[in-house]
Structures are given as structure tokens and as C-alpha cells.
Amino acid sequence: MFGTRLRNSDGYGSHDMARAGAEMTEVLRRLPWMLGRAATLAWAADRPRAAALAAAELARGLLLALGLVATNQALLKLFSGSPTRSRLEAALPSLLAVLAATAAIALLAAASTALAGALEPQIERRAMTSLLRHATRVGLATVELGAFQHLLHSAQRGTIASRQLVRYGVQVVNALLVFTAAGCVIVALKPLLLPLLVAVVVPKAWGAARTVRRMYASAHTWVEHARQQQVLAHLLTDKESAPELRVHGAADHLLAHFDAMSAASAREQARLARAQAGTGVLAAAASGAGAALAYAVLFLLVLRSEIPLAAAGTAAIAMRTATGNLGALVQQITYLYEQALFYEDLEEAVATARRSAVPAGGTPCDAAPAKMALRDVEFRYEGSTVPAVSGISLEIARGQIIALVGPNGAGKSTIAKLLCGLYDPTGGRVEWDGEDMCDLRREDVHGKIALVSQSFTRWPFTAWTNVTMGRPAAREDEARLRSAALYSGFGEVVARLPQKWRTLLAREFVGGVELSGGEWQRSALARAAFRNADIVVYDEPTAALDPETEVEFFSRIRDLAHGGRTVVLITHRLASVRHADQIFLVEEGRLTESGSFEELVSLGGSFGRLYRMQADQYRIDH
């Protein structure tokens, strides 16, 4: 079971009713905040349209109220004791006012629809852009956490809720105006009827608030389950998994898994539907009883001549208008409340991203360091009881090639990310010329580093964009582009593409092409070369390259160091680190051996043993 199902709460005991009442109170308590937030979002997105929309909705509400008053006046004239012709003539102005108000309301409704249609997408765009902007500034260690990814997924629903907040907000204000006008008419006719209106609406409010809270809680509980379903659906249709899926016959297994998860989701939705139906029956029964009581009281008042028939007719229309609008008001408020809950997920995600963001300030760092160092560095991933690396101390001088070697999972990539400022150590210091990297302006630090990770990104853009992504500010520098392509060998790949540099490297889109693994790796190497950084970190840079290209590439790495750049190389191919100035063997998160290639081979330790094992694979015994 991937999602934790909510406790079935279809019963309606005293505790249940009390909780629902508290929820309804919470909805009403937060109504001013919700309306204020809706107004703030609309105003920030487009002030002229927000002002026009507010004016249109206010005018619409006022016209509805005036229409009700005009209706009341028309009825009073029609039920008077005058001759029929006189009554009709007296009622005509009020009837014309009702028609005029109805026409104006229709025009204002059309204007509101047009204004909202233009305003709401801008609100959602701003919300999504804000979320993405803050998410891209979060430290890598936080981005890699499942909890943060869960929060981001929920927050994306909040970006949609941001536009809905505005929509339901204006509708709530409109309904409030109409209800207030109808209530004033009823109070003027017979104050006794007003409490009866409350008896009609409170059950509706209770049912709506309870349903919204139940659905929101379920959505939060099952959000991870939904994410996993999406991943399975993607794996069943993705081109990367398609070959293995077919050869290994894994499709049926994944389909069964997906179907089981879908069935669990369907059961949860059925449970919600049953609970909602039960709540709806209770709310409708209580509200219907309140309405029956209200009309019975009105009937008795007429029967006992305590209210004139014309006034009773007006009261009946006002009650119907009030209860109808109050029902709409309760519904819009609960919708508004639901969207506010999701919108708060967005605010929480943005707040979390701000707290976890890489510091924007710090000491300026104008030049690349003459020496980088790790001083007794430790790094522990959140939730782990064992550090990924511990007691790491090493120094790197400018223009050196250093190599990090060792088995999978030993901590090599973690050390590289610490050197790049992608992780902050949980113990010890990463230094640039003696200064703690945490105190330096991180933007300056990253500006001097180029990274080729073992899981490099295959950007679904043109070949030109894939390379210039390494330094967007220099994207028009064609000489730099040619140099990077020559260095990496990617120029040979581009020469074979149908539209050369303008070829889209994404076969899933019309006109796009697909590269081989080695060609993609060359694009990543070209991207790093185009960056022209002072420090270059290669994490398994030749895993997909053929032997000849690999030899050429390592030869070019030496040229980088001779040009004054610092190179950090992570690789499993120990013969490739022969020309490194320093080699560090990493085992179980610690540096166990260090030295030049010759020193480590002659030492007779783990490095020498591993090197001989790899060398023996190429030996031909006669």
C-alpha cells in the first residue's frame, strides 16, 4: 500500500458534529483573510483589470439588490386596493427598473467573465513562476529530499488554486451583497423570519465545510500515491524504458502494479463519495426542515392577518432570494476555503524554499582560488544516521589534476559536490584560499566551476542551446562555440545532424532527432568547455565514449591543466588517472590512500590491487 488511507469517518456522533461545527467556525473566521489574499493576488497580477473586475462584481451585486427592492415595490402596487389599471400603471416603473437591472446584470456578467478570463491566467502564471524561481534557488541537499519533492507536487496544485481564490472571492462578495439586501427586506417586513433563514443555511454550511475538509485531507494523504502512479504511467510509455520493458517482459508486471494502485485510488474516491452522500442527506434534511418551518411561519402570519398578503408575497420572494443566494454564498465560501487550503501549500513550499535557499550574500570572490582545501569535512544526508563522507582532508593547487577513485557508493560524487559548493558540509570546512566557502558569495563560486556529472542533463532543445546552456550570457559567441565543439568532439556530431546546430535534440517532438549515449556525453563535455571555467569537475566523463575518443579526451584534460585550470576527475578507470598530479582513493566515505599514480601502484595497497585487476582484463594469455 503506497498511500495511507484516511480513517473512515462516515459516522455522525456528537464528537463528529462538534468537529464539523469547529470546522465551519474556522471557515468563517478565516473568511476575511481569504478575501484579502484574493484581492492581493489580483491586484499584484494586473491592477487595472483587478479594479475593473471588482467594480463590475460590486455593481452586479448592487443591481441584484436594487432589482429585489424594485420587485418588492411592484408587488406592493399590484396587491394594493386600487383598480387593476391603476395598479398596473403604478407598478410599471418598478417593473421597468427590474428589466433594466436584469439587462445591466447580464452585461456586467459578460464583462466579469472577460476580465476574469484575462486576469486569472496571469495570477496562475505569477504563482507558478514564483514557485519555480524559489525552487531553483534551493540547496541541492534539500532538492534531493523526498519530502521537499512531495511539497513541490502539492504546491503545483496551489498555483491553480491561486486563480480560483480570486474567482470565488469575487463571487463571495457578490453573494454577500445580495444576501444582505434580501435580509434587509425581510427584517423590514418581519424580523422574526431572519432567524429562520439561519436554520436553512447552517446545515448547508456544515455539510459543505465537512466535505471540503474531508476531500483536502484525503488529497494530502494520497498525494504520494498519485505521484507514484504518474511515475508508473511514465515508465510504461517512456522511450528510455521501452526497450527493456519489452525485452524483459516487464510490462505486465508494471501494468498489474499500476492497476492495483488505481484500484486503491478508486476505493478512496468511492469512500469519499459515500461520506459526501451521507453528509449531503443530513444537511439537506436539516435545511429542508428549516425551510418548511420558515414558510409555515409565513403562512400563519398571513392567516392571522399579522402581515398583508402583498408583504407576504414580497417576503416569500425575499426569502427565496436570500436562501438561494445564501446557499450560493455558503457554497462559494467553502469553495474559497478549499482553494485557500491548497494555496497555503504553495505558500508553505515557497517559505520552505526561502529557508533552504543557497545564501545570496557573502564575500565577493572575483578570482579563482590558488588553492582549494577540505579540512576534516563531514557530510551527512538528512535522515541518515551514518555520514556519507567523514574526516576528508585534501588540498588542490591551481592547475593541478586530481583524481577521486574508489568503489561505487564510496562518497566520490559527494566530495565533488562539496568542492562545487552544491552541498554545505555538516562538519569541517571547504576552503578557497583559506576562506570558508560558506562565507563566499555562492554565485561567484559557481561562476568559476564547470560540472559534467555522471547523470548529465539531456536538454530537449537544439544542439546550439544544449552547448550554450553552459554560459547563457555568451550564447552568441560563435568562436567560443566552435572551440567547445572541437574540444569535445561534438562538432563531428553536429556536422551529421539534418539542421546542424539548429537541430532539435528531442525525438519525442516533431522534427527532433535522438543522439546516442556517446553523442549525448560529447554534448555535455562541450557544454562544460563552452563555460570556460577555472575549475572543471568531471564525474565519470567518458562512461559512454568509445576507447579512441576516451583516450583523446583524457589527453585534452592534460591540456586544460597546462592552461592553468584546476581539474577534478572522478572515474572508475584507474589507467586514465595516470597523469593526475594527485590521486585520492575513497572507501566507505573516507580517504584511505593518496599520492601519484606511481606511488600508489608501488605502495601495494588497495589502489595497486584494483589497478592490477583492471589491467589483467586486457592481458592476452598465450
Side-chain angles (χ1 to χ4, degrees), residues 511-535:
V513 302
E514 183 58 86
L515 302 183
S516 68
E519 290 171 336
W520 273 117
Q521 191 146 37
R522 290 190 186 196
S523 77
L525 295 172
R527 186 158 57 245
F530 186 83
R531 189 160 174 77
N532 196 27
D534 299 293
I535 302 164

Side-chain angles (χ1 to χ4, degrees), residues 84-411:
T84 302
R85 183 181 180 87
S86 298
R87 283 182 283 170
L88 290 174
E89 289 176 350
L92 184 59
S94 296
L95 292 173
L96 291 175
V98 171
L99 291 174
T102 302
I105 287 170
L107 291 175
L108 288 170
S112 293
T113 300
L115 288 167
L119 181 61
E120 290 173 11
Q122 293 188 57
I123 294 169
E124 184 178 352
R125 174 185 62 81
R126 286 173 60 87
M128 178 60 83
T129 301
S130 175
L131 174 64
L132 296 176
R133 180 182 295 113
H134 284 93
T136 57
R137 295 171 179 170
V138 173
L140 184 62
T142 300
V143 172
E144 293 174 342
L145 293 175
F148 184 70
Q149 291 297 319
H150 176 101
L151 182 58
L152 284 179
H153 189 82
S154 298
Q156 290 178 32
R157 175 65 179 83
T159 63
I160 300 172
S162 66
R163 68 187 292 170
Q164 302 287 12
L165 269 178
V166 175
R167 173 179 298 179
Y168 294 129
V170 295
Q171 291 176 4
V172 165
V173 171
N174 182 281
L176 277 171
L177 288 170
V178 175
F179 174 71
T180 301
C184 289
V185 171
I186 291 171
V187 169
L189 293 171
K190 198 68 177 178
L192 175 63
L193 297 175
L194 190 60
L196 296 176
L197 287 177
V198 177
V200 176
V201 173
V202 166
K204 293 182 178 180
W206 167 76
R210 178 162 177 72
T211 296
V212 166
R213 173 59 71 176
R214 184 189 290 121
M215 292 177 66
Y216 174 77
S218 177
H220 253 270
T221 302
W222 285 73
V223 65
E224 195 68 16
H225 186 96
R227 284 181 61 203
Q228 291 165 359
Q229 278 186 268
Q230 291 173 4
V231 169
L232 281 176
H234 176 73
L235 289 173
L236 285 163
T237 57
D238 184 52
K239 62 178 183 177
E240 299 295 334
S241 57
E244 195 169 331
L245 197 70
R246 284 154 177 75
V247 171
H248 292 175
D252 289 342
H253 172 72
L254 290 185
L255 279 170
H257 198 35
F258 179 83
D259 187 57
M261 295 183 74
S262 298
S265 297
R267 288 193 296 271
E268 170 63 5
Q269 293 174 45
R271 184 192 72 80
L272 287 174
R274 289 193 304 270
Q276 183 175 352
T279 301
V281 168
L282 285 178
S287 180
L293 178 61
Y295 285 109
V297 169
L298 184 61
F299 177 78
L300 289 174
L301 290 174
V302 173
L303 192 63
R304 296 171 60 179
S305 299
E306 293 187 21
I307 184 172
L309 183 60
T314 301
I317 294 174
M319 285 182 61
R320 183 171 182 180
T321 301
T323 54
N325 276 279
L326 194 54
L329 174 61
V330 170
Q331 185 179 51
Q332 300 305 330
I333 288 176
T334 52
Y335 287 160
L336 183 67
Y337 180 53
E338 179 185 22
Q339 300 309 314
L341 292 173
F342 284 110
Y343 180 76
E344 285 185 318
D345 291 341
L346 171 62
E347 289 194 327
E348 181 185 353
V350 171
T352 300
R354 283 174 176 160
R355 290 193 301 270
S356 306
V358 175
T363 305
C365 180
D366 297 326
K371 183 173 68 176
M372 302 170 63
L374 274 66
R375 307 291 187 195
D376 196 26
V377 165
E378 175 184 292
F379 181 78
R380 188 189 306 267
Y381 289 98
E382 187 171 327
S384 175
T385 57
V386 179
V389 295
S390 180
I392 303 296
S393 294
L394 58 86
E395 292 186 355
I396 311 168
R398 179 187 295 162
Q400 278 192 325
I401 300 175
I402 73 132
L404 298 172
V405 299
N408 290 331

Side-chain angles (χ1 to χ4, degrees), residues 368-372 395-403 433 448 533-536 556-569 579-582:
K371 183 173 68 176
M372 302 170 63
E395 292 186 355
I396 311 168
R398 179 187 295 162
Q400 278 192 325
I401 300 175
I402 73 132
D433 289 335
K448 295 167 179 57
D534 299 293
I535 302 164
V536 187
R556 289 168 182 164
I557 286 182
R558 292 195 296 275
D559 295 338
L560 282 179
H562 292 156
R565 291 184 177 87
T566 303
V567 179
V568 178
L569 175 63
H579 299 289
D581 297 291
Q582 292 188 85

Side-chain angles (χ1 to χ4, degrees), residues 460-463 499 501-507 509-514:
F461 303 126
T462 63
Q499 297 179 17
W501 283 105
R502 300 297 173 181
T503 303
L504 177 64
L505 304 184
R507 196 166 61 186
F509 297 112
V510 176
V513 302
E514 183 58 86

